[in-house]
Amino acid sequence: MSTKIKEDILIRMQNDLKRALTKPVEKRKWAMLIDLRKCVGCHACTIACKAENVLPPGVVYRRVLEIESGKYPDVERHFVPVLCNHCDKTPCVDACPVKATKKRVDGIVDIDYNHCIGCRACLNACPYGARTSDFGKFYTQDTPKIQPYELRPAFEYQKKWYRKKGNSPIGNARKCHFCLHRIESGLLPECVVTCIGKATYFGDIEDKSSLIFEIINSNNVKVLKEKLKLKPRVYYIGLKEELL
Amino acid sequence: MKQKIFLFLIAISFIVGLIGLYRYLTIGHSLLNLNSAVPWGLWVAVYIWFVGISAGNYFIVMFWNIIKNKKLSNLTTISAILSLSTLSAGLLSILLDLGHIERFYKLFISVNFSSVMGWMGFFYSIFTFILLVTLVLSFIKKDVTTKFYVAGIVISSLVILVESMLFARPPGKHWHSIIFPIHFFVTSILSGTGILMFIAGLLKKDNTSLISKTLLVLLIVNLVVEIIDIVSMGTISNLKIIYLLTANLIPIILLILNIHTLKTFVGLFCGIGVLATKYDSLITAQLKQPFKGFENAFFEPGLAFSYIPSFTEWLVTIFLISFSVTFFYVFYKSITSLSSKLVR
């Protein structure tokens, strides 16, 4: 007698990721899928992202919208995580006056922190409100000592970033990069592994054997603000745009 | 005596402003009340206001030169100095607003031509060049062809329009409307003409009544544009109501009543009032949330959808205004004394 144990989706995505990394970078097309039916609105992804990228006050890469609809007794609560959509048509890249932000060949929109002049034009250009600016604040700045957890480096874009006055990323625009530093090390983005409802999927949509490809093609997926035709790379299952 | 009081006030403003500037340069952006929801605040409003005065007053003087109104065209030198002083203050304002001031040179060596901001460095450079040429030509009293004035009108118009496109372009913002560039254009010429009338009045030029007629027309056009803007937005802020009453309707009434002694200050009021409407347009659009419930999705300092300029922001604004006035005063005095020496 044999019992077939269903593979955990995180292990499946991890294996998909490893397979994608064997391909040349230009053949990978990273995308994220959020199944809103499984999101419980715990905000664990937001906090995990904050910790992973050592984000200061006022900088957040992923927020979870909480929307109520209906009238008592038929009421519903909807949770919609929003982040950088890594659009194919990028208003933020067009707005940057010094080419500090660009669309990579693998689909990720990145920021060159050492090139960004901090004009914040991209913040106003993004229709998703996905970008925030690092104004150099610390959570513990008004206490006797800035705590060490705020001074540890972030590893964004595979470099060590210490937040010190005058040094990037202070003064820069900041946003989600699909945890590029983790992906390149063979790890899934932090929000994906932290999601307690396993509502967030990540992978290479060019890989037809990947879980994300399978789910996107077997469900009615939607994107945010479709009317803008920016071709986002973050897809949703169960999205009710009329509520947003 | 009046001049001494004026110089004293400017010196005080300069020193107070310098304190704010020093604090900002040593401590940094954390002193500002900017946040990720409103990343462009008072200094950006001051920047667009200064550049509006710079291009707006030059536009109107070039127009007077084309129609060969000699009483008005003799303001060309003052206009060029005013444009240079306000443009310098405007650019200084936006430079201070950058997260990395030391990297501003990248605007010239790594230009993204799909970005409106990327084009600005070039437009400002051409405009500065035109202003310097105008100054030299008016100083040596050389006859200038109409083509030069037309070029001046085209460049100053482009400076205003390109700047307005910076705001009108982003999708999903209120700026993303056709009325914004028109509003920008009218308010820029209005503020330029108002400040020019104020300076002409202070310097006892005999052409304030002619300038006031232009200003009256601009105020009426501006009122119409403001009403269209309010209707298209569907809301009106308290600041906008105060602006429309004090810097639009009352000046219109005063100019129609033709009270000569008040004209100088009507010009100043119109010029400064435009800062209020530009500030209002700038901030209101940024306060619009991209999604319902976005403001409360994650709440912490630096993410609030509200903005009131900090004390440091006001101090640096005082510095920028006093810098502009000092620049104008020193430049104007130098030019006039040099001119009289040459005549002698």
Side-chain angles (χ1 to χ4, degrees):
Chain A
M1 200 173 98
S2 67
T3 50
K4 195 181 176 186
I5 300 168
K6 199 178 173 188
E7 190 180 28
D8 183 88
I9 62 166
L10 281 178
I11 294 170
R12 168 89 187 269
M13 284 192 287
Q14 186 75 53
N15 292 332
D16 291 347
L17 179 70
K18 281 181 181 163
R19 196 167 54 252
L21 288 173
T22 60
K23 297 198 290 184
V25 67
E26 64 276 9
K27 301 264 178 175
R28 303 171 205 157
K29 295 286 175 245
W30 302 122
M32 190 170 274
L33 170 77
I34 303 167
D35 188 346
L36 299 181
R37 299 168 305 180
K38 290 162 82 179
C39 178
V40 295
C42 67
H43 297 264
C45 52
T46 307
I47 303 304
C49 173
K50 275 254 179 195
E52 172 67 26
N53 295 300
V54 201
L55 302 183
V59 179
V60 61
Y61 291 173
R62 185 174 166 120
R63 311 178 207 217
V64 182
L65 306 177
E66 293 183 21
I67 300 152
E68 291 178 13
S69 69
K71 279 186 181 174
Y72 179 82
D74 298 319
V75 289
E76 279 183 337
R77 290 191 85 197
H78 308 265
F79 307 107
V80 186
V82 288
L83 60 152
C84 172
N85 280 253
H86 298 276
C87 312
D88 282 350
K89 283 189 175 179
T90 46
C92 53
V93 173
D94 291 347
C96 178
V98 295
K99 301 179 195 165
T101 186
K102 65 177 190 302
K103 177 90 176 161
R104 286 164 49 101
V105 287
D106 57 8
I108 293 175
V109 176
D110 73 2
I111 301 171
D112 183 345
Y113 283 161
N114 286 329
H115 198 65
C116 171
I117 60 170
C119 67
R120 305 183 292 281
C122 55
L123 269 77
N124 276 325
C126 176
Y128 301 105
R131 287 177 174 240
T132 45
S133 182
D134 190 334
F135 288 108
K137 291 179 179 170
F138 290 87
Y139 286 104
T140 52
Q141 66 186 21
D142 295 326
T143 64
K145 190 185 169 195
I146 292 177
Q147 292 302 300
Y149 72 86
E150 289 201 78
L151 298 171
R152 67 196 165 90
F155 294 92
E156 295 174 279
Y157 309 111
Q158 293 123 300
K159 283 181 189 165
K160 266 190 181 181
W161 301 99
Y162 290 95
R163 290 185 71 249
K164 284 180 190 165
K165 190 187 174 300
N167 282 10
S168 290
I170 287 180
N172 291 125
R174 301 182 71 177
K175 63 168 213 60
C176 163
H177 35 73
F178 279 164
C179 279
L180 183 62
H181 57 289
R182 288 177 60 91
I183 301 171
E184 293 289 334
S185 308
L187 299 167
L188 289 165
E190 190 62 33
C191 54
V192 177
V193 295
T194 316
C195 182
I196 62 167
K198 292 182 182 170
T200 305
Y201 298 82
F202 180 81
D204 174 14
I205 46 167
E206 292 285 284
D207 179 0
K208 289 182 180 171
S209 58
S210 68
L211 180 64
I212 194 163
F213 179 88
E214 196 179 286
I215 296 177
I216 285 176
N217 284 283
S218 57
N219 283 279
N220 179 23
V221 294
K222 288 182 180 174
V223 292
L224 289 170
K225 300 196 179 188
E226 197 167 6
K227 281 181 190 169
L228 294 176
K229 295 179 180 169
L230 299 175
K231 298 185 180 172
R233 281 178 179 268
V234 176
Y235 302 89
Y236 292 87
I237 296 175
L239 179 69
K240 293 177 181 172
E241 182 102 51
E242 67 277 9
L243 295 175
L244 300 176
Chain B
M1 184 65 188
K2 273 182 185 174
Q3 196 178 10
K4 278 185 180 169
I5 294 169
F6 167 77
L7 289 174
F8 176 74
L9 286 174
I10 289 299
I12 292 289
S13 313
F14 208 87
I15 292 163
V16 167
L18 269 177
I19 294 167
L21 183 67
Y22 173 77
R23 266 172 60 79
Y24 169 65
L25 291 176
T26 49
I27 298 172
H29 268 71
S30 56
L31 283 175
L32 314 182
N33 273 355
L34 295 173
N35 58 57
S36 291
V38 186
W40 287 345
L42 179 63
W43 294 352
V44 175
V46 167
Y47 152 69
I48 55 179
W49 175 60
F50 270 133
V51 174
I53 294 171
S54 178
N57 95 82
Y58 188 74
F59 176 95
I60 209 76
V61 170
M62 290 297 105
F63 176 74
W64 289 332
N65 272 301
I66 288 174
I67 60 168
K68 298 195 190 309
N69 188 322
K70 286 209 168 170
K71 265 196 167 181
L72 293 170
S73 61
N74 67 13
L75 285 170
T76 305
T77 310
I78 291 175
S79 166
I81 300 171
L82 175 63
S83 290
L84 280 171
S85 61
T86 46
L87 184 66
S88 311
L91 296 182
L92 186 58
S93 173
I94 203 66
L95 190 70
L96 290 171
D97 194 64
L98 294 179
H100 285 279
I101 300 171
E102 75 285 0
R103 297 180 191 160
F104 85 96
Y105 67 92
K106 289 179 190 280
L107 282 163
F108 294 94
I109 62 158
S110 178
V111 186
N112 178 8
F113 286 106
S114 67
S115 161
V116 179
M117 206 183 272
W119 285 93
M120 284 180 167
F122 293 97
F123 276 101
Y124 292 144
S125 303
I126 296 166
F127 186 47
T128 307
F129 176 73
I130 290 268
L131 290 175
L132 289 171
V133 172
T134 309
L135 204 57
V136 171
L137 291 177
S138 67
F139 183 72
I140 60 173
K141 304 204 186 308
K142 192 175 175 6
D143 283 337
V144 179
T145 60
T146 311
K147 280 179 187 169
F148 181 79
Y149 298 132
V150 172
I153 284 200
V154 171
I155 291 295
S156 53
S157 307
L158 282 173
V159 165
I160 300 169
L161 287 175
V162 168
E163 201 179 21
S164 72
M165 289 312 292
L166 173 67
F167 300 93
R169 211 170 169 223
K173 296 275 180 197
H174 163 67
W175 304 320
H176 195 52
S177 74
I178 189 68
I179 196 69
F180 196 79
I182 299 167
H183 181 251
F184 217 91
F185 199 80
V186 174
T187 49
S188 296
I189 296 169
L190 174 66
S191 58
T193 311
I195 298 292
L196 199 63
M197 190 165 99
F198 172 67
I199 293 170
L202 282 186
L203 298 174
K204 311 256 183 268
K205 300 278 178 188
D206 57 351
N207 43 21
T208 47
S209 60
L210 286 167
I211 306 172
S212 69
K213 282 175 188 162
T214 313
L215 193 65
L216 181 60
V217 173
L218 286 167
L219 279 167
I220 293 165
V221 174
N222 184 56
L223 192 61
V224 174
V225 174
E226 290 283 2
I227 290 167
I228 296 169
D229 186 44
I230 292 161
V231 171
S232 73
M233 259 192 107
T235 54
I236 182 167
S237 67
N238 290 337
L239 183 63
K240 189 78 110 182
I241 294 170
I242 295 167
Y243 161 71
L244 286 174
L245 286 173
T246 57
N248 227 287
L249 281 173
I250 293 173
I252 287 174
I253 294 163
L254 289 174
L255 289 176
I256 289 170
L257 293 174
N258 205 11
I259 305 166
H260 191 74
T261 48
L262 283 174
K263 274 181 184 168
T264 305
F265 293 98
V266 167
L268 179 66
F269 224 62
C270 292
I272 292 175
V274 167
L275 175 60
T277 188
K278 288 200 170 176
Y279 175 89
D280 185 68
S281 303
L282 179 78
I283 305 302
T284 312
Q286 291 177 95
L287 292 174
K288 191 181 162 195
Q289 296 182 45
F291 300 105
K292 192 179 164 188
F294 192 78
E295 186 181 6
N296 299 319
F298 190 78
F299 191 81
E300 66 174 8
L303 290 176
F305 273 74
S306 65
Y307 171 72
I308 293 168
S310 68
F311 188 56
T312 304
E313 286 173 78
W314 284 115
L315 285 182
V316 174
T317 302
I318 290 169
F319 166 77
L320 290 165
I321 293 169
S322 53
F323 168 82
S324 175
V325 175
T326 310
F327 187 112
F328 179 85
Y329 183 80
V330 171
F331 216 127
Y332 180 73
K333 283 284 173 189
S334 309
I335 291 269
T336 44
S337 70
L338 192 64
S339 178
S340 57
K341 270 182 194 170
L342 282 174
V343 169
R344 257 184 261 148

